[in-house]
């Protein structure tokens, strides 16, 4: 009697042996040569669960927002200081001069405070671009659009002034600053409005 003969009905089956015909096969375990489940590798782009890197356009817009906000805050502080200087210059003079100086100083202080307050807009927007969502992106685009609009208006005004030969030398620097401001505003809008920025702000947050 041959052990394990498939033609012999009285043959005994091997005990605890390897699975064969008529026995369910065991699912292969993961290991070398078998496909593995995708794993998360934080910080490595392209892997599930890894944070999405900030696009270059968004990085550039963020830096520009910081720069414009800081410059605007400094301008506001300078205007407030000028208001205090005006008030001290007219102190002790005639009543009409003193009243005029006080009015001018108050206007300067108010304008300076407003500038400092508005400077918080680009600074806070830039600070939240790293973990912000679509609302932060819209805030940056609106600020960049206003920056572009005012800069374009300044460019047109200075271009008209440059046509007068008596004022050409006086407005060259203003024209240059207006062109730079226009370029920065456009950079913010383009950097935050493109498709790469859209995908970045729709990314899942881990």
């Amino acid at each position: 009697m041959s052990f394990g003969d498939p033609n012999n009905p009285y043959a005994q089956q091997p005990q605890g042996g390897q699975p064969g015909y008529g026995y369910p096969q065991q699912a292969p375990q993961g290991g070398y040569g078998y496909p593995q489940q995708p794993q998360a590798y934080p910080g490595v782009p392209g892997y599930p669960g890894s944070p999405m890197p900030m696009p270059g356009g968004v990085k550039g817009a963020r830096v520009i927002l910081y720069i414009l906000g800081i410059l605007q805050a400094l301008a506001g502080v300078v205007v407030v200081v000028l208001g205090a200087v005006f008030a001290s210059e007219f102190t002790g003079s005639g009543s009409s001069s003193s009243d005029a100086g006080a009015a001018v100083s108050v206007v300067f202080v108010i304008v300076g405070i407003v500038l400092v307050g508005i400077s918080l807009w680009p600074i806070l927007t830039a600070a939240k671009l790293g973990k912000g969502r679509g609302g932060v992106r819209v805030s940056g685009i609106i600020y960049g659009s206003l920056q572009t609009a005012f800069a374009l208006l300044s460019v047109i005004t200075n271009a008209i002034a440059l046509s007068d030969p008596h004022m050409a030398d006086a407005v060259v620097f203003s024209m240059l600053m207006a062109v730079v401001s226009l370029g920065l505003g456009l950079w913010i809008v383009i950097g935050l409005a493109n498709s790469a920025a859209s995908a970045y702000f729709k990314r899942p947050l881990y």
Side-chain angles (χ1 to χ4, degrees):
M1 183 173 60
S2 61
F3 182 78
D5 187 354
N7 297 320
N8 188 350
Y10 301 99
Q12 296 181 358
Q13 297 296 332
Q15 301 295 326
Q18 299 297 325
Y21 179 78
Y23 288 85
Q25 299 292 330
Q26 184 179 5
Q29 301 295 325
Y32 181 78
Y34 292 96
Q36 301 290 331
Q37 294 293 329
Q39 300 180 8
Y41 295 89
V44 181
Y47 286 92
S50 61
M52 184 177 181
M54 181 181 292
V58 179
K59 289 181 180 179
R62 187 182 193 183
V63 172
I64 294 173
L65 286 170
Y66 271 128
I67 293 175
L68 292 177
I70 293 172
L71 291 177
Q72 191 169 353
L74 292 176
V77 173
V78 170
V79 172
V80 171
V81 172
L82 289 177
V85 171
F86 267 103
S88 63
E89 288 292 332
F90 286 95
T91 301
S93 58
S95 58
S96 59
S97 299
S98 178
D99 293 341
V104 172
S105 65
V106 168
V107 171
F108 271 66
V109 171
I110 292 176
V111 172
I113 293 175
V114 170
L115 288 175
V116 172
I118 295 177
S119 69
L120 296 177
W121 180 4
I123 292 175
L124 293 178
T125 300
K128 294 182 179 180
L129 283 179
K131 296 183 178 180
R133 306 300 292 176
V136 178
R137 179 192 179 203
V138 172
S139 174
I141 292 175
I142 293 175
Y143 182 86
S145 300
L146 293 176
Q147 173 80 14
T148 302
F150 283 112
L152 182 59
L153 180 62
S154 180
V155 169
I156 295 173
T157 303
N158 285 296
I160 295 173
L162 284 174
S163 62
D164 187 351
H166 301 287
M167 299 181 62
D169 296 336
V171 297
V172 170
F173 180 75
S174 178
M175 181 68 171
L176 179 61
M177 295 301 297
V179 171
V180 173
S181 181
L182 177 63
L184 295 178
L186 288 174
W187 186 303
I188 294 174
V189 174
I190 296 174
L192 296 178
N194 56 41
S195 58
S198 177
Y200 173 74
F201 286 102
K202 292 179 181 179
R203 74 198 186 282
L205 298 179
Y206 296 99

